[in-house]
Amino acid sequence: MNRRDDTDTTKTGSTRETPSLFRLEREGNVAVIILDDPDDKVNKLNREVMDQFASLLQEVQSDNTVRGAVLISGKESSFIAGADLGMIQAASNREELEELSRTGQKLLKKVEESPKPIVAAIHGSCMGGGTELALACRYRVVSDHPDTKIALPEVKLGLLPGTGGTQRLPRLIGIQRALGYMLTGKNMYSRQARKTGFADEMVDRTMIERAGVEAVRRLANSKPERKDRRSLFEKLLESNAPGRAILFSQARKRTARQAHGNYPAPPRIIDSVEYGYKHGKEKGLENESVLFGELASTPESKALVQLFFDMNRSKKNPFKEHATSVSTVAVLGAGLMGSGIADVSIQGGMHVWLKDRTLDDAEKGRSRIEKRLAGDAEKGLLTKVEKESLYSRIHITDSWDPLQRTELVIEAVFEDLELKQKILADVEAHTGSETIFASNTSSLPITDISKEAKRPENVLGMHYFSPVQKMPLLEIVRTEKTSTKALATAYETGIRQGKNVIVVQDGPGFYTTRILAPYMNEMLLLLEEGAAVEDLDGAMKAFGFPVGPVALLDEVGIDVGAHVAGVVGELFRERGAETSAKADELVENDYLGRKNGQGFYLYNGDKGKKSNKEVNTDIYRFFGGEDRKAIDREEIQQRLSMVMVNEAVYTLQEGILQSPTDGDLGAILGLGFPPFTGGPFRWIDRIGSCEFSDRMARWQDKGGARFNPAPLLEEKAKRDEPFHSGRSL
């Protein structure tokens, strides 16, 4: 597609200066408006973009030689990434936030009501405000490329679509389908966009501008013929007030079950859609602005928006200038974890040598990756060429020889110190002096692993989380001897693997495992006191964790939990804190969790699926018998959350953590700490360090030293001082 600089030469030969964020071209009697922010990798909607776009719209309307316009992006794989969240952070009160919504709505209303058709030609990521802008256009063309994905992800930020999304999307694709996308923020890919009716046309990426231009010419003479793609049942239910009432009621019940009242945005999204159907689109838009201002002012939204910015920062390498380019990675161990690391590495453009004891074992790991790639291709998320290209980057071996050609070796074998030390020695014997060695250990100190290393400056930890392809966090662990070059290279590799990266200092359990240990310990102690498995899991899911602590222990493995307790337990005992030995006892009796079908829950078959979430009551014999007692839900929530958060403060105090922000990211992205809180440190800030310390003190009579506030927390409490600067949350 032809692209020009800021001085535009149209195809009729005239020249003129256009605004810096846009370029304007002509295809005969059709204007092509190209949004291409020169200072950013993606286009975002901000005040300047909206002002300049409004000016261009006016120009299109006043030019009698123009029949309409196509809006397209100048970016390689992005249409519009959404609204600039800096505008929300800059607003000082609810009224300003409401006005921000109204301003955007006014512009989109001009697009929607334009006498000349405006067509959106979408290739790549189309998010939030970009999707709302596309909805206001008269016609939408999407590329059939896997890079094209459309979403209204505002719910993930504690918001609702504030520039007409809650009014236009339901009217375009139906209420039920629209709620499905708005309440989850999930992506709508090209084929789904065509199937639901969001897209009027789907073409090859090279043809979207041409298709958009032709659409403008057709629409200049007639209205688009749009087929209602809803099912007969959807039409019947949505076409009358009683049917819609049932639909909205069911949506509220589902949302309440899933969100447990922790997230105010989902019910407000339902309210906004329902209000628009009851009172009409115009009043619905005004109500949408009011609700947008209300939600953007909540502490939950502020925490989620801040989390968004922090996540973006974690994908920028502060040590990049010291990084070595990695073209080939070796992954040692082709199990679930190793094959997962290999998978995200090939997605990051690297070649991978996947090594195991035998070629058959290595092939099993490669087969897992091939199956995942085939699934993505079936769903249309990869082209056949892309699938084959990715698969060609995986090479299997049972020999050390290929490691000579690798810049980074990632070890993903069992949590055994002697085994990891032996593997490090083998790697150093078969690689060059520049090869970096990373251990994917969840708890063993890297200093211990590298105790006999010849090149300890090349050794660090790269702690991934399972399943690797889905879990966003990478915890890099540096020792006192780890070089900046090794750290920078590992960080850059993690970014290429699609990870949010935090860097922590070495120590037993590092950060994430360290703060998980007291959480799991408290859960076992509650079981010993007579708590029921389902009460513990139910309480913490209601608190905001995606998985309860008992189910999580089954998932990671009771043997792994016992190992972690052994590694970090001494730290707690030195403080006089009570620790449970039940995990060791369970392992001795062959209770390993989901992996062998023997855990706190019952499992069916080889796949280890839960049997209707049924508790394995036989396990209660290790905890005093099947007679369980009711423990107050709030007590469960406070005890489990407080010991975890307090341990996070200890890690900051000891220098394991570099910052409270890293602590918040690590807990949320690695352990599922409730995102709406902002993370352990922002949660303390919201409650107040003094109040948080007082709450812990209330449990000291029952729990003793486990609930002694960390000295750093006590210092903050004395001054009633937050961990993050300011008290915006």
Side-chain angles (χ1 to χ4, degrees), residues 109-154:
K109 190 174 182 181
K110 289 179 181 178
V111 174
E112 184 176 44
E113 296 178 353
S114 169
K116 297 180 180 181
I118 310 298
V119 172
I122 303 167
H123 169 69
S125 179
C126 176
M127 299 285 130
T131 299
E132 292 182 282
L133 175 53
L135 284 167
C137 292
R138 198 175 301 182
Y139 195 89
R140 286 157 295 280
V141 180
V142 299
S143 81
D144 61 3
H145 196 275
D147 281 349
T148 296
K149 46 185 180 288
I150 297 118
L152 289 172
E154 287 84 354

Side-chain angles (χ1 to χ4, degrees), residues 583-621:
D584 283 324
E585 190 177 345
L586 291 172
V587 172
E588 288 170 7
N589 286 273
D590 202 32
Y591 284 87
L592 304 182
R594 179 177 172 177
K595 67 178 69 175
N596 74 339
Q598 288 264 84
F600 290 93
Y601 287 93
L602 296 176
Y603 296 89
N604 278 332
D606 297 333
K607 293 184 179 180
K609 292 185 177 179
K610 279 186 189 176
S611 304
N612 300 318
K613 299 183 180 179
E614 193 176 338
V615 174
N616 179 10
T617 54
D618 287 347
I619 209 167
Y620 282 141
R621 62 193 172 94

Side-chain angles (χ1 to χ4, degrees), residues 433-498:
S433 60
E434 300 297 313
T435 301
I436 296 164
F437 177 88
S439 175
N440 174 52
T441 173
S442 61
S443 59
L444 294 171
I446 306 301
T447 302
D448 292 352
I449 294 172
S450 61
K451 191 175 181 180
E452 303 298 327
K454 295 176 183 176
R455 299 183 287 273
E457 68 278 6
N458 291 348
V459 182
L460 42 65
M462 292 179 75
H463 178 203
Y464 296 85
F465 297 75
S466 184
V468 180
Q469 295 91 332
K470 293 182 179 180
M471 294 295 284
L473 185 70
L474 171 62
E475 184 180 26
I476 295 180
V477 187
R478 67 187 303 181
T479 72
E480 291 182 358
K481 295 181 179 179
T482 302
S483 70
T484 303
K485 178 182 175 182
L487 174 63
T489 303
Y491 202 121
E492 197 65 22
T493 302
I495 292 171
R496 290 175 64 187
Q497 292 169 333

Side-chain angles (χ1 to χ4, degrees), residues 253 328 358 530 695 711:
K253 288 176 183 176
T328 306
T358 68
R695 288 185 188 183

